[in-house]
Amino acid sequence: MQTALRTSLPETELASRANFAPHARIVREERQEERLAQASGLPLSIRGLRKSFGSNEVLRGIDLHIPAGQFVAIVGKSGCGKSTLLRLIAGLDKIDAGSISFGQDVQPEDIRVMFQEPRLLPWARVLANVEVGLGRDRASKDAHARAEQALTEVGLADKRDQWPSVLSGGQKQRVALGRALVSRPRVLAFDEPLGALDALTRISMQRLLERVWRDQGFTAILVTHDVSEAVALADRVLVIEEGRIAHDVVVNAARPRERGSAELAGLEGSILSHLLSADDRT
Ligand SMILES: Nc1ncnc2c1ncn2[C@@H]1O[C@H](COP(=O)(O)OP(=O)(O)O)[C@@H](O)[C@H]1O
Ligand SMILES: [Mg+2]
């Protein structure tokens, strides 16, 4: 069962409940808002996570802690359970054993997933497609304004009245990203979101992902088969092998990162050699 463990009140909440003099309280509350705006990600703790489909034991004990706001990439050979892990994190599937917790109760809007296919509604215009991401808030007065803001963030404000069918593949993925961002998620999971794009569009989308992540501070979990993409974007790369996390590689390179630098190429090479040696054993 998916658990959302309740911990003690966060510091910000405690501060807002404390009995300050009124002026001190206003200053304090403004600072809290600033901090919340800067660090909206949730931490993620996974313990002893298992998932099987019939006799196929896909995840055999995943233990992982992701600090709030970290950008984590997950790589591993096809069929190793990357999508399964994301689906469990997003609450789209049931876990067999173990737990996943975010340190507090979460709402559906707090966790969003972006897939390889944009999954846009063909009968709805771009802006309406983005509004879908608001979930229960879709009927609220500011729904249009929020969707417009999200479209601006992904650089598509001028396409708001278009039908999805006239957009390029990259533009459709931008709309899907806008739809994922519009609810201001605190955890954003990406399942090979750029896998179907051409090389140049892919690089510009990678830059966009990095920018929105830095602006909004959500916790990012990116499944990708592209190790160079993983090291370009992530703070940390996890390699899944035989149902467990076999390698946990920190990427310390400063941002913005220089693609193709010796540092990133070296990391990419060592992660690829882990993946290939796992392949040799099967
Ligand atoms: N709904 C499902 N029913 C049965 N088997 C599944 C289901 N989803 C995934 N699997 C199996 O679980 C394994 C891991 O799949 P997946 O997580 O999609 O791998 P990856 O994303 O790493 O390529 C595969 O063997 C796949 O066939
Ligand atoms: Mg997959």
Side-chain angles (χ1 to χ4, degrees), residues 259-273:
R259 263 145 244 263
S261 71
E263 187 181 9
L264 292 186
L267 269 174
E268 182 184 341
S270 80
I271 294 169
L272 275 172
S273 66

Side-chain angles (χ1 to χ4, degrees), residues 124-198:
R125 291 181 196 268
V126 163
L127 189 71
N129 263 288
V130 173
E131 283 171 17
V132 167
L134 286 167
R136 293 172 303 179
D137 288 345
R138 211 173 150 192
S140 69
K141 269 191 297 188
D142 61 350
H144 277 335
R146 290 173 69 185
E148 270 166 13
Q149 164 77 25
L151 267 183
T152 304
E153 275 156 15
V154 299
L156 282 187
D158 59 332
K159 301 280 188 241
R160 51 165 282 162
D161 295 321
Q162 301 279 5
W163 298 106
S165 57
V166 305
L167 303 180
S168 69
Q171 287 170 334
K172 285 181 187 157
Q173 270 310 53
R174 280 174 190 254
V175 177
L177 178 61
R179 182 185 54 198
L181 291 173
V182 72
S183 65
R184 294 274 156 182
R186 306 187 66 187
V187 176
L188 196 39
F190 302 98
D191 196 351
E192 313 234 11
L194 314 182
L197 304 178
D198 65 81

Side-chain angles (χ1 to χ4, degrees), residues 234-251:
D235 296 319
R236 177 181 178 195
V237 181
L238 307 175
V239 181
I240 299 190
E241 234 176 77
E242 294 172 357
R244 295 191 185 82
I245 293 171
H247 305 281
D248 186 339
V249 182
V250 174
V251 186

